[in-house]
Amino acid sequence: MGRLREFDEAKAIDGAVDCFWARGYEATSVRDLAEHMGIGGASLYNAYGGKRALFVTALARYAERSMRERIARREGNGQPKEAIRDFFTEIIERSLADRDRKGCLLVNSALDVAPHDAEIGKVVAGYLEEIRAFFQRNIEAGRRAGQMPRNLDAADVSAHLLGVLMGIRVLARTRPDRALLESVARPALDLLDMPVRPRARRARS
Amino acid sequence: MGRLREFDEAKAIDGAVDCFWARGYEATSVRDLAEHMGIGGASLYNAYGGKRALFVTALARYAERSMRERIARREGNGQPKEAIRDFFTEIIERSLADRDRKGCLLVNSALDVAPHDAEIGKVVAGYLEEIRAFFQRNIEAGRRAGQMPRNLDAADVSAHLLGVLMGIRVLARTRPDRALLESVARPALDLLDMPVRPRARRARS
DNA sequence: ACGATTTTGGAGCGAACGCTACAAAATATC
DNA sequence: GATATTTTGTAGCGTTCGCTCCAAAATCGT
């Protein structure tokens, strides 16, 4: 019973994601949100509760459609090393193509919102942990398949890859330069390759 | 000629740094600033021009007192590897001791302000480049001194270290956990060590 | 001492902020 | 069709925003 909603809820959330993504939490006003969501201010509060609650919803939408989608697309192909390499390649390519330098909503939130809001902080930390776990699963699979060095510490290296990923997204927002971003990633990805037996230059022992 | 300033200009700038550092650019109000700087609103505009100009000044102060000081303190000891290692150790320790999770003003600005303000973006990029250059100088010195592998690519690895540093500062704001932060840094720092000749497990060719 | 110049505190500008109140409009149940 | 319930648009609540105006206060050169 009651009047039914006239706006497209999926489009509305996507509009909210775009707003928070482009401008950040503080700099996004409720009026901006309502306009980009295609709804009125009253509907926004009626349907989503308010700015903060809407942000949590938008964050979940972003994580689902952007992060988890990207993970799911790479995983389960039986090529764990390519999964990780392609993950970084895609992030770099998208960062370079990101003309308005929006970066990653999760990373932006980790610095903007999370430190000032314990609840949202835990949510963001949980999303980032999902990325690290993706790295760890694929490192372990790569070791089992003999594609990666046996002595790789999956916990260490997965955390390292997560840190490098965060670094790429930070640097991309101030200096979206291909050479820089690829240099950041390369030493980390080289860890995943099998060591080459160093060729002896001259006879020595 | 004219009335002379009554407030301590150094303390005032430090107060502005503290404000922007703790709350971010957008979330810091001119009234917050004036109060923490110990001056009135009119004096703030008279002496510094406005919120944005004051932010640029505060950023320069932070870079000088926090970043360049940290670099200068480590460099020129003839121990380039320790300079880099200690740099990361200090960042991790300070991040763990940073109870209100202020992080690094440069990194915060790189995500908050830089993408929306081209001029400030270039300033921030310049400061970050100083950090990368510090890494590169010490990598080259370490190679010359025979403390680091001869085949280290100083450009690549210095960019990598900068990325890892950014990653540590991001993760520290959402999950200030020693094990996590040290895991992020460890594989990067291990690059600086001389390779150990792998001990042959069994006789094999 | 005096005019010129600068700083300081206070009041307040117009605008935008997050949010709410309220009545008209639209639906389901009966 | 009457009633109950929900959504929608509008108007506006009180607050805060960055910033400016202005007169009093304080210092200089002369």
Side-chain angles (χ1 to χ4, degrees):
Chain A
M1 49 183 118
R3 179 172 172 177
L4 33 88
R5 294 202 176 142
E6 297 178 356
F7 64 90
D8 184 332
E9 304 198 36
K11 299 275 184 189
I13 294 285
D14 288 341
V17 170
D18 288 341
C19 272
F20 286 125
W21 196 358
R23 287 184 269 276
Y25 180 80
E26 293 284 351
T28 299
S29 75
V30 175
R31 288 165 180 82
D32 279 343
L33 286 165
E35 184 175 352
H36 279 78
M37 295 169 75
I39 66 178
S43 296
L44 190 153
Y45 279 88
N46 179 60
Y48 302 103
K51 183 181 177 182
R52 204 194 89 108
L54 176 58
F55 179 77
V56 174
T57 304
L59 206 58
R61 173 71 146 222
Y62 176 88
E64 195 65 47
R65 307 271 287 211
S66 182
M67 179 199 74
R68 289 184 183 139
E69 182 276 336
R70 182 145 40 223
I71 287 176
R73 179 152 39 87
R74 305 241 180 285
E75 207 158 30
N77 301 356
Q79 297 183 319
K81 192 193 289 189
E82 279 67 25
I84 294 178
R85 296 193 84 97
D86 291 357
F87 189 96
F88 275 90
T89 300
E90 181 179 346
I91 297 297
I92 291 176
E93 293 303 326
R94 291 182 76 94
S95 295
L96 294 173
D98 179 20
R99 296 216 166 271
D100 33 7
R101 303 193 186 180
K102 295 193 298 181
C104 168
L105 180 56
L106 292 180
V107 181
N108 303 350
S109 304
L111 262 69
D112 263 35
V113 193
H116 307 295
D117 189 315
E119 188 183 353
I120 294 181
K122 288 182 183 174
V123 172
V124 172
Y127 291 138
L128 298 184
E129 170 61 18
E130 288 186 39
I131 302 176
R132 194 204 59 78
F134 159 74
F135 290 143
Q136 178 160 347
R137 283 194 305 273
N138 282 272
I139 291 169
E140 289 166 348
R143 289 200 324 177
R144 280 196 303 270
Q147 299 178 0
M148 296 184 195
R150 219 184 314 245
N151 61 336
L152 264 195
D153 185 317
D156 267 19
V157 175
S158 62
H160 178 70
L161 290 174
L162 177 63
V164 170
L165 180 67
M166 302 293 100
I168 288 173
R169 306 227 76 150
V170 169
L171 292 174
R173 294 200 78 179
T174 55
R175 190 137 71 91
D177 176 69
R178 177 180 295 277
L180 174 69
L181 301 185
E182 290 182 345
S183 290
V184 173
R186 188 173 302 115
L189 295 177
D190 285 349
L191 291 173
L192 307 180
D193 291 331
M194 298 297 288
V196 272
R197 180 72 53 95
R199 181 181 306 273
R201 301 203 177 190
R202 308 195 194 291
R204 186 202 291 185
S205 94
Chain B
M1 51 183 121
R3 179 172 172 177
L4 33 87
R5 293 197 177 147
E6 297 179 355
F7 64 90
D8 184 333
E9 304 198 36
K11 299 276 184 189
I13 295 286
D14 288 341
V17 169
D18 288 340
C19 274
F20 286 125
W21 197 357
R23 288 184 268 276
Y25 180 80
E26 293 284 352
T28 299
S29 74
V30 174
R31 289 166 179 82
D32 278 342
L33 285 165
E35 185 175 352
H36 278 78
M37 295 168 75
I39 67 179
S43 296
L44 189 153
Y45 279 88
N46 179 60
Y48 302 103
K51 183 181 177 183
R52 203 195 89 110
L54 175 58
F55 180 76
V56 175
T57 303
L59 206 58
R61 173 71 146 221
Y62 176 88
E64 195 64 46
R65 307 271 287 211
S66 182
M67 180 200 73
R68 289 185 182 137
E69 182 275 335
R70 182 145 40 223
I71 287 176
R73 180 152 37 89
R74 305 240 179 288
E75 207 158 31
N77 301 354
Q79 297 184 318
K81 192 193 290 188
E82 279 67 26
I84 295 178
R85 296 194 83 98
D86 291 357
F87 189 96
F88 276 90
T89 300
E90 181 179 346
I91 297 297
I92 290 177
E93 293 303 325
R94 292 181 76 95
S95 294
L96 294 174
D98 178 20
R99 296 219 165 267
D100 33 7
R101 302 192 188 182
K102 296 193 296 183
C104 169
L105 180 56
L106 292 180
V107 180
N108 303 349
S109 304
L111 264 68
D112 262 33
V113 192
H116 307 295
D117 189 312
E119 187 181 355
I120 294 182
K122 287 182 182 173
V123 172
V124 172
Y127 291 139
L128 297 184
E129 169 62 17
E130 288 187 39
I131 301 177
R132 194 204 59 78
F134 159 75
F135 289 144
Q136 178 160 347
R137 284 194 304 274
N138 282 274
I139 291 168
E140 290 166 346
R143 288 200 324 178
R144 281 196 303 270
Q147 299 176 2
M148 296 183 195
R150 218 184 312 248
N151 61 336
L152 264 194
D153 185 316
D156 267 17
V157 176
S158 62
H160 178 69
L161 290 174
L162 177 63
V164 170
L165 180 67
M166 301 293 100
I168 289 172
R169 306 228 74 152
V170 170
L171 292 174
R173 293 200 79 179
T174 55
R175 189 136 71 92
D177 176 70
R178 176 179 297 276
L180 174 70
L181 301 185
E182 290 183 346
S183 289
V184 173
R186 188 173 301 115
L189 295 177
D190 285 350
L191 291 173
L192 308 180
D193 290 332
M194 299 298 287
V196 273
R197 179 71 54 93
R199 182 182 304 275
R201 303 205 176 190
R202 308 195 194 292
R204 184 200 291 183
S205 89

